[in-house]
Amino acid sequence: MAESDLVVHVVDDDVDVRKSLGFLLATADFAVRLHESATAFLSTATGSLDGCIVTDVRMPGIDGIEFLRQLRAGGHRIPVIVMTGHADVALAVQAMKEGASDFIEKPFDDEMLIEAIHSALANRNQLNAAHPQSADIRGRLSTLSERERQVLDGLVSGLPNKTIAYDLGISPRTVEIYRANVMSKMGAGSLSHLVRMALIVESRP
């Protein structure tokens, strides 16, 4: 099935956000469905779901985290991209642990979202597959210094740089340097990529 035949479901309680994302994705040749809430989406989600979901993490009623849980409880393996505010790193990490395929921080570049959707659609059949890169990730982890590993653990726990700095007794600027080193050594292009790699290793003893 071609990507253009797959539906991108936008789930957001903000009507302006829904409309702007709907326009953006339609111009990028995606088939788009707009939903005003997770409840509205789940009420129509029967049978197999194709495509992917783009949802806000903060919504009244069923929020993004609970939405992910209910999708998984219903047996839906559709990839989900979660949109988060800059201060919601902890929620974003929690979303990844609940099965989100990616998260993207607002405000984001249009191309970044489109790229994330393309990636989610391309990898949708691998959601249940084993992770052959697990050994490779462990190899990269072994190259981290003790301090870099501590910073990584903080990031994967959803802690902001300032909190990690306080916990480790170093400056936020030093944390930024360690964070950049971790991203480079791990070959991570984004925080969500880094978190995903760490979770892959965590889930396989």
Side-chain angles (χ1 to χ4, degrees), residues 164-187:
I164 297 172
Y166 179 82
D167 290 346
L168 298 180
I170 57 180
S171 73
R173 175 65 187 141
T174 304
V175 171
E176 288 176 15
I177 294 169
Y178 280 124
R179 176 172 169 162
N181 289 344
V182 169
M183 299 280 277
S184 177
K185 287 184 177 181
M186 294 299 294

Side-chain angles (χ1 to χ4, degrees), residues 28-93:
D29 292 331
F30 291 111
V32 186
R33 299 286 182 275
L34 305 180
H35 308 267
E36 64 184 14
S37 67
T39 303
F41 178 91
L42 290 166
S43 68
T44 61
T46 55
S48 178
L49 296 173
D50 252 327
C52 75
I53 295 170
V54 176
T55 184
D56 200 346
V57 73
R58 290 188 180 274
M59 295 184 290
I62 299 175
D63 64 13
I65 303 298
E66 181 60 27
F67 186 26
L68 282 160
R69 289 175 181 151
Q70 293 202 23
L71 283 168
R72 300 300 171 245
H76 299 299
R77 304 301 299 174
I78 184 171
V80 179
I81 298 168
V82 174
M83 298 179 292
T84 70
H86 185 63
D88 290 336
V89 176
L91 283 175
V93 171

Side-chain angles (χ1 to χ4, degrees), residues 101-199:
S101 61
D102 205 349
F103 69 81
I104 185 166
E105 288 182 301
K106 297 182 290 187
F108 47 77
D109 179 76
D110 290 350
E111 285 303 316
M112 189 179 294
L113 176 61
I114 290 169
E115 188 177 315
I117 291 171
H118 280 303
S119 177
L121 292 173
N123 296 320
R124 66 190 183 281
N125 295 325
Q126 298 172 22
L127 285 175
N128 295 318
H131 289 279
Q133 69 267 46
S134 185
D136 178 47
I137 293 170
R138 288 183 193 280
R140 295 182 203 178
L141 281 171
S142 70
T143 69
L144 300 182
S145 68
E146 182 180 356
R147 184 65 94 195
E148 288 167 348
R149 187 61 193 257
Q150 289 171 331
V151 169
L152 172 61
D153 289 343
L155 293 171
V156 174
S157 296
L159 301 178
N161 287 359
K162 284 184 180 178
T163 304
I164 297 172
Y166 179 82
D167 290 346
L168 298 180
I170 57 180
S171 73
R173 175 65 187 141
T174 304
V175 171
E176 288 176 15
I177 294 169
Y178 280 124
R179 176 172 169 162
N181 289 344
V182 169
M183 299 280 277
S184 177
K185 287 184 177 181
M186 294 299 294
S190 64
L191 180 57
S192 63
H193 186 196
L194 185 67
V195 171
R196 187 159 54 244
M197 287 194 287
L199 295 180

